Amino acid sequence: MITTLIEVVLFRKGKTVMVSVMELAAQITTDLQEPVKYLPYGILFGSICIFILEFIHIYHKRKPDRKHIFLFFLLVTYLTVLMFQAFFSRESGSRTGVELYPFSILGISIGEDASFVENILMFLPFGVLVPFTFRFLRSGFYCVGLAFIGSVSLEILQLITGRGYCQVDDVISNTAGAFLGWLFTAVWFAIRRRNEEKVYAVRSFTMYQFSR
């Protein structure tokens, strides 16, 4: 009897958790459709930046690095979408308030939980694109630190303009997203470096054999 009761409780609890996860996923999917409408602006600003870079290279008679220019285009496009989402998705003065308690929004509602996850997802590209675009920012300290400073700046500007709540949870989730993105690039660079070392070792051994 007790065993059956426990099984029923666990089943209902598991079913409730599954429903909550599905609702959370649905909310996140719906909310992430909003930044897509700012993508044309991002592409426009990215294209302008590419044009300027191309002009600078032509003026100085230097061969442009197509890979670097493309990465820079992606970074500018992403940052433009991020700025539009942060400041133009809501009217000025529509949201005011400060929340300095960590993780205070979690568990309040599906919407608040979704907002926390969305902030992580929104800063994932930052942690990927910044190290790929700028070699001197491949260090986790610089990349994630820049994301932290940028997030704090966004929160302060949103507080001043009244276009968003100033929440420490936003800073935490944004920084966490950038860290996860940087972690992916760190693993990728480590794997590529190891493969390059293996190729170099094979070539060195082959050249040694032929030179004997």
Side-chain angles (χ1 to χ4, degrees):
M1 180 67 180
I2 297 178
T3 303
T4 304
L5 181 61
I6 293 175
E7 289 177 352
V8 170
V9 171
L10 291 176
F11 174 77
R12 290 181 177 178
K13 186 175 182 180
K15 188 176 181 180
T16 302
V17 171
M18 182 61 67
V19 171
S20 298
V21 171
M22 292 178 63
E23 290 178 352
L24 180 64
Q27 183 67 47
I28 292 172
T29 303
T30 301
D31 292 344
L32 289 181
Q33 292 176 3
E34 184 176 3
V36 176
K37 67 182 181 182
Y38 301 119
L39 191 58
Y41 300 102
I43 294 175
L44 175 62
F45 279 98
S47 300
I48 293 174
C49 289
I50 285 182
F51 176 79
I52 295 173
L53 283 177
E54 290 282 1
F55 176 80
I56 292 174
H57 281 97
I58 293 174
Y59 180 80
H60 291 284
K61 298 180 179 180
R62 294 183 301 190
K63 185 179 180 180
D65 185 347
R66 299 299 179 186
K67 180 181 177 181
H68 181 266
I69 289 179
F70 178 68
L71 288 171
F72 190 74
F73 165 77
L74 292 179
L75 181 60
V76 172
T77 301
Y78 159 71
L79 291 177
T80 302
V81 173
L82 185 65
M83 292 299 102
F84 270 80
Q85 176 65 23
F87 295 105
F88 297 102
S89 62
R90 54 188 75 97
E91 295 182 0
S92 177
S94 61
R95 297 187 180 184
T96 58
V98 180
E99 181 56 72
L100 299 179
Y101 293 98
F103 308 109
S104 59
I105 68 172
L106 294 179
I108 296 178
S109 65
I110 293 294
E112 295 292 351
D113 293 342
S115 177
F116 190 89
V117 177
E118 289 160 13
N119 285 334
I120 294 176
L121 296 176
M122 285 294 290
F123 264 74
L124 270 172
F126 186 96
V128 174
L129 293 174
V130 168
F132 270 106
T133 307
F134 302 105
R135 183 180 295 271
F136 66 94
L137 290 175
R138 288 182 180 178
S139 166
F141 177 79
Y142 291 117
C143 179
V144 180
L146 182 62
F148 172 78
I149 294 173
S151 180
V152 171
S153 301
L154 281 177
E155 293 302 309
I156 293 175
L157 288 174
Q158 284 184 331
L159 177 64
I160 295 173
T161 59
R163 294 181 181 270
Y165 301 113
C166 182
Q167 297 174 314
V168 70
D169 282 346
D170 289 350
V171 177
I172 293 174
S173 53
N174 292 340
T175 306
F179 173 75
L180 291 175
W182 171 83
L183 193 62
F184 168 80
T185 59
V187 172
W188 191 89
F189 282 124
I191 294 175
R192 191 181 72 170
R193 192 181 307 114
R194 180 175 297 180
N195 291 336
E196 289 175 349
E197 290 175 354
K198 289 181 179 179
V199 171
Y200 177 77
V202 171
R203 287 179 179 176
S204 300
F205 177 77
T206 304
M207 292 177 64
Y208 173 75
Q209 291 296 324
F210 276 106
S211 64
R212 292 181 63 181

